[in-house]
Amino acid sequence: MEKEKCILVAIYGANDHTRFVEASLDELSKLIDTAGGEEVARVVQRRQAPDPSTYLGKGKATEVKSLATRLGATCLVVDGPLRPAQEAALSKLTGLRVRERTDVILEIFAMHARSAEGKLQVKMAELQYKLGRLRGKGSELSRLGGGMGTRGPGEQRLEEERRRIRRQLGRVSRQLERLDKTRQANRKLRTRSGVPLVALVGYTNVGKSTLLRRLTGAEVAIEDKLFSTLDPHTGRTYLASHRQEILVIDTVGFVRELPPELLRAFKATLDEISSAHLIVHVVDGASLEAAAQIRVVRELLGEMGAGEIPEILAVNKFDLMGTSSHSRVERLLRESHTPHGVPWVLLSAESGEGVDRLRNSIGECLFSDSPETFSPKAHSFCPRAIADVATVP
């Protein structure tokens, strides 16, 4: 099947660094590839704010139209939020199908949802997104109406569509509530068992699923695609150094500008992170955007109420970082504003090198000096692990 050819568009102000604009467009390009499209060109316009009517200026929109004709592109993807009126005007000016970043992310989530709960969560996010977009089309549709004191056909159609979406939201919400009760019951059983829970979190496509398989042997799908894992996977592993068993859970990866609709819809799943005793924050150490990705993840963890949970930074793909990996991690800690005292481990989830050091660090953070004593709340961070793990494997 032939991929849809897409032109990427971004607007940046005088204070925005070109490197960060390009990094954001690189990520958008990966999102489009994951969704089944193909980037054929990117257009960047420098202006303080998007045009309130057409997003791009009319001159730049005309340039995009000519570019699309030459390259055979049929889709324009905007790297940012786009109002419905702007979308309609931009589509009319360029003759292209216009999408925004959030729309692409929602499509990817719909493609990758496997479980009944995952599909319902994505459906809820899509409905919430449509409802928000519908509000933005209110004035446009109401102009189809009649004279004073009347409800025109556009306004009536808008209200009917709003009611239909709200009915669907109600049904999906009730189904998710039932599933959430089951999840809460399982969480209580897990808590009573006394087995600590470790959550793997991080930016999308940094190797969390590979690390889960390496730590626990859990069978999880591993793809070099963004958001390849939506449903949480849990495995058990034994920490020989502390003679203890722990649970390890892998959850959905994060991304900058993650749609709020997704955070709301996946709340029950993401609550698994908030109930964890320890977070292993996995980062792609070879990525030039590693520091920015760490900041994004920490910001989202804070919004979820998980910002105070003890953390280990697992710097993955150290074998691709070169001989100066140790100094690169130190720079990464500074640039990401990592709090002093957070332990870190260099590892390769692919080869397994450094994973045993991570196991030892997890044990140091979760258990007191007595191997049989589980006391995760005794630490706001894990100072005793630093001397053992903050070294090149």
Side-chain angles (χ1 to χ4, degrees):
M1 185 176 176
E2 189 176 350
K3 292 186 174 183
E4 183 175 30
K5 295 181 178 180
C6 303
I7 296 176
L8 280 56
V9 169
I11 286 177
Y12 71 105
N15 296 326
D16 295 330
H17 199 286
T18 306
R19 172 192 161 190
F20 297 117
V21 176
E22 287 300 319
S24 186
L25 284 173
D26 288 343
E27 184 173 277
L28 181 60
S29 183
K30 290 180 182 177
L31 289 168
I32 292 168
D33 178 66
T34 302
E38 175 189 12
E39 176 196 346
V40 294
R42 55 180 64 175
V43 175
V44 178
Q45 184 176 35
R46 183 188 288 274
R47 56 186 299 158
Q48 283 306 110
D51 186 286
S53 301
T54 58
Y55 193 80
L56 290 175
K58 290 186 178 179
K60 186 63 71 172
T62 302
E63 179 186 321
V64 168
K65 183 177 182 179
S66 300
L67 185 63
T69 301
R70 190 166 71 251
L71 298 175
T74 57
C75 180
L76 183 67
V77 185
V78 174
D79 189 26
L82 195 64
R83 296 202 307 271
Q86 290 174 318
E87 179 184 328
L90 193 54
S91 180
K92 186 176 181 180
L93 282 171
T94 61
L96 301 172
R97 184 167 75 102
V98 177
R99 307 181 68 185
E100 63 174 14
R101 184 187 184 96
T102 294
D103 186 32
V104 177
I105 293 175
L106 285 171
E107 181 181 344
I108 295 170
F109 269 61
M111 290 167 53
H112 290 170
R114 296 289 181 268
S115 69
E117 185 177 20
K119 290 176 181 178
L120 285 170
Q121 288 168 326
V122 172
K123 182 66 175 176
M124 172 169 268
E126 289 176 332
L127 289 169
Q128 290 171 335
Y129 177 70
K130 286 180 182 177
L131 189 61
R133 304 287 288 174
L134 199 60
R135 292 191 191 101
K137 293 180 180 178
S139 58
E140 177 187 337
L141 290 175
S142 65
R143 285 197 292 271
L144 298 172
M148 290 179 60
T150 65
R151 285 169 58 87
E155 189 176 347
Q156 291 173 15
R157 196 178 79 194
L158 178 67
E159 187 57 38
E160 288 170 3
E161 181 68 7
R162 185 181 289 121
R163 284 199 297 266
R164 185 185 69 81
I165 291 177
R166 283 176 174 162
R167 284 196 298 270
Q168 287 181 290
L169 272 171
R171 286 196 296 270
V172 172
S173 180
R174 287 190 292 273
Q175 289 174 287
L176 281 173
E177 283 175 8
R178 287 195 291 270
L179 289 171
D180 187 32
K181 287 179 181 177
T182 302
R183 186 182 291 279
Q184 288 179 18
N186 291 337
R187 196 177 295 145
K188 288 179 181 177
L189 286 173
R190 189 175 64 213
T191 301
R192 283 201 293 269
S193 73
V195 179
L197 177 67
V198 176
L200 302 181
V201 305
Y203 215 74
T204 183
N205 206 32
V206 294
K208 297 189 306 301
S209 296
T210 305
L211 183 56
L212 178 71
R213 178 181 287 184
R214 180 67 64 178
L215 282 169
T216 69
E219 288 299 319
V220 290
I222 298 174
E223 297 181 76
D224 187 20
K225 294 283 186 180
L226 303 186
F227 302 118
S228 61
T229 302
L230 291 188
D231 301 310
H233 295 278
T234 306
R236 288 176 176 264
T237 191
Y238 183 75
L239 302 180
S241 59
H242 289 75
R243 303 194 297 279
Q244 288 285 343
E245 189 177 54
I246 62 169
L247 291 173
V248 184
I249 187 169
D250 174 27
T251 57
V252 62
F254 295 146
V255 70
R256 61 168 63 92
E257 297 179 34
L258 193 65
E261 295 88 357
L262 281 172
L263 284 177
R264 290 196 296 268
F266 278 73
K267 182 182 182 304
T269 300
L270 294 174
D271 277 347
E272 296 288 350
I273 298 175
S274 301
S275 65
H277 301 99
L278 175 68
I279 284 175
V280 173
H281 184 166
V282 186
V283 59
D284 178 356
S287 171
L288 294 176
E289 296 303 308
Q293 291 174 0
I294 290 173
R295 291 195 297 269
V296 168
V297 171
R298 289 219 178 98
E299 181 179 340
L300 290 169
L301 287 173
E303 291 177 10
M304 293 159 44
E308 299 302 316
I309 297 175
E311 171 191 351
I312 296 173
L313 197 66
V315 185
N316 192 22
K317 306 183 185 181
F318 90 94
D319 46 330
L320 304 178
M321 294 170 63
T323 55
S324 59
S325 55
H326 199 284
S327 60
R328 285 187 64 177
V329 171
E330 291 177 344
R331 184 170 67 251
L332 178 64
L333 296 177
R334 290 195 303 271
E335 293 177 354
S336 63
H337 310 304
T338 295
H340 178 71
V342 171
W344 53 269
V345 184
L346 280 168
L347 59 87
S348 169
E350 185 68 32
S351 69
E353 191 169 358
V355 172
D356 283 342
R357 292 179 182 273
L358 176 61
R359 290 176 183 275
N360 291 338
S361 182
I362 289 171
E364 291 290 331
C365 286
L366 286 176
F367 302 99
S368 69
D369 294 330
S370 170
E372 290 78 16
T373 305
F374 170 43
S375 57
K377 300 305 178 185
H379 313 287
S380 58
F381 54 90
C382 313
R384 287 179 294 108
I386 295 174
D388 296 332
V389 300
T391 56
V392 179

